[in-house]
Amino acid sequence: MIYQTSRPAYQALKRKIVDGEFPFGAPITVKALESEFEFSAIPIREALIALAAEDLIDFYPGRGFFNKRLDAESIAMRLEFLQNLLLASAATLPDGRKNLVRKRLLDDGIRLREPANSIFESVRLITDILDTYFVHPTAIFTRTAIAQCARYLTIDEQKHDPEGEIGKAAFSYLWLASSRQPVPLTEKLGRFFDIRKRRIVDTIQAVKERDLLAGHPMVFSGASF
């Protein structure tokens, strides 16, 4: 739970994490964030605790907060979890809400398919649709899982699919989930995730090489989002 007084700090930090502004594995200190943002130490610490509870960052007692490292096994588990949650969200969508989802997609579809200003904005748009029309608590878990996976999936796009497959895949998934006709949702979703799971190691290696060239060798040992 995040207190209302700490929500602005929480949103600002979450944006930085999801957008990849912290190096993988880098420490995240309250003091440094105080200098960067116009927030005091208390809301920043509360925001960091909430983000650690969502598993967007790591917290080690006695050491502090750290951005995630890229770890192949962890990424595979996260992608598997997200895949299952998306299927569960589709299964819990009542027929009476399907027309509402379709109307929302027609209204927001152009924004969803166009490149967003940031990964965070894309995540917020997709999860806002999920939160509004899918049954809780499935939507809550799915929202968090999307945020956890968004940074890695964007890196995967940059390496393998430069045309922005995340937005297209999200729109396609939501459109199929809101169909009144039987659709091969499991097969289509499985194909999307299976491809990305198979190339995790290759994607991580590309990120390591990129960051080494950029002068950030210290933050790696098997890399996360």
Side-chain angles (χ1 to χ4, degrees), residues 125-143:
L125 175 58
I126 295 166
T127 56
D128 183 37
I129 295 171
L130 284 163
D131 280 353
T132 304
Y133 294 108
F134 286 76
V135 176
H136 294 265
T138 309
I140 296 173
F141 288 125
T142 308
R143 175 184 63 198

Side-chain angles (χ1 to χ4, degrees), residues 83 172 176 183-194:
Q83 180 181 345
S172 176
L176 287 172
V183 292
L185 190 60
T186 302
E187 179 183 339
K188 286 181 177 292
L189 207 59
R191 195 157 51 235
F192 175 83
F193 281 97
D194 287 346

Side-chain angles (χ1 to χ4, degrees), residues 44-69:
I44 288 174
R45 175 164 286 278
E46 289 178 350
L48 289 172
I49 291 170
L51 292 165
E54 293 179 21
D55 202 28
L56 284 175
I57 60 175
D58 288 325
F59 173 67
Y60 302 104
R63 294 179 57 201
F65 298 94
F66 293 81
N67 194 24
K68 290 281 185 182
R69 292 181 181 273

Side-chain angles (χ1 to χ4, degrees), residues 1-2 8-9 21-22 26 29 37 58 85 91-95 97 104 109 114 126 141 157 199 215:
M1 175 181 178
I2 185 73
E21 294 185 27
F22 292 110
T29 67
F37 296 115
D58 288 325
L85 280 173
T92 60
L93 178 63
D95 287 341
R97 287 193 173 189
R104 176 68 180 265
E114 288 180 347
I126 295 166
F141 288 125
E157 277 183 21
R199 61 195 188 201

Side-chain angles (χ1 to χ4, degrees), residues 22-222:
F22 292 110
F24 295 115
I28 304 174
T29 67
V30 173
K31 186 174 181 179
L33 293 173
E34 275 189 285
S35 301
E36 182 175 354
F37 296 115
E38 295 181 358
F39 303 120
S40 64
I42 292 176
I44 288 174
R45 175 164 286 278
E46 289 178 350
L48 289 172
I49 291 170
L51 292 165
E54 293 179 21
D55 202 28
L56 284 175
I57 60 175
D58 288 325
F59 173 67
Y60 302 104
R63 294 179 57 201
F65 298 94
F66 293 81
N67 194 24
K68 290 281 185 182
R69 292 181 181 273
L70 282 169
D71 172 78
E73 183 177 356
S74 173
I75 292 169
M77 289 177 62
R78 284 168 179 257
L79 293 177
E80 182 78 18
F81 186 53
L82 177 57
Q83 180 181 345
N84 290 331
L85 280 173
L86 289 172
L87 289 170
S89 295
T92 60
L93 178 63
D95 287 341
R97 287 193 173 189
K98 290 185 176 181
N99 286 338
L100 293 173
V101 174
R102 292 229 150 185
K103 183 179 184 305
R104 176 68 180 265
L105 289 173
L106 289 173
D107 292 341
D108 286 337
I110 295 175
R111 288 171 56 204
L112 191 61
R113 285 174 290 175
E114 288 180 347
N117 292 330
S118 68
I119 307 169
F120 180 79
E121 291 299 334
S122 180
V123 167
R124 186 161 66 175
L125 175 58
I126 295 166
T127 56
D128 183 37
I129 295 171
L130 284 163
D131 280 353
T132 304
Y133 294 108
F134 286 76
V135 176
H136 294 265
T138 309
I140 296 173
F141 288 125
T142 308
R143 175 184 63 198
T144 300
I146 289 173
Q148 291 171 344
C149 293
R151 179 59 179 158
Y152 176 76
L153 287 173
T154 300
I155 292 169
D156 177 87
E157 277 183 21
Q158 293 168 347
K159 168 66 177 172
H160 301 283
D161 297 308
E163 295 183 359
E165 289 299 316
I166 288 178
K168 292 178 184 177
F171 183 89
S172 176
Y173 159 72
L174 292 166
W175 189 260
L176 287 172
S178 62
S179 173
R180 290 185 175 275
Q181 305 299 322
V183 292
L185 190 60
T186 302
E187 179 183 339
K188 286 181 177 292
L189 207 59
R191 195 157 51 235
F192 175 83
F193 281 97
D194 287 346
I195 291 170
R196 280 144 187 84
K197 290 173 193 172
R198 284 200 300 270
R199 61 195 188 201
I200 286 174
V201 174
D202 182 46
T203 301
I204 287 176
Q205 185 59 35
V207 176
K208 286 184 178 181
E209 292 172 359
R210 181 200 67 190
D211 281 39
L212 282 168
L213 290 173
H216 303 296
M218 55 170 280
V219 298
F220 284 102
S221 79

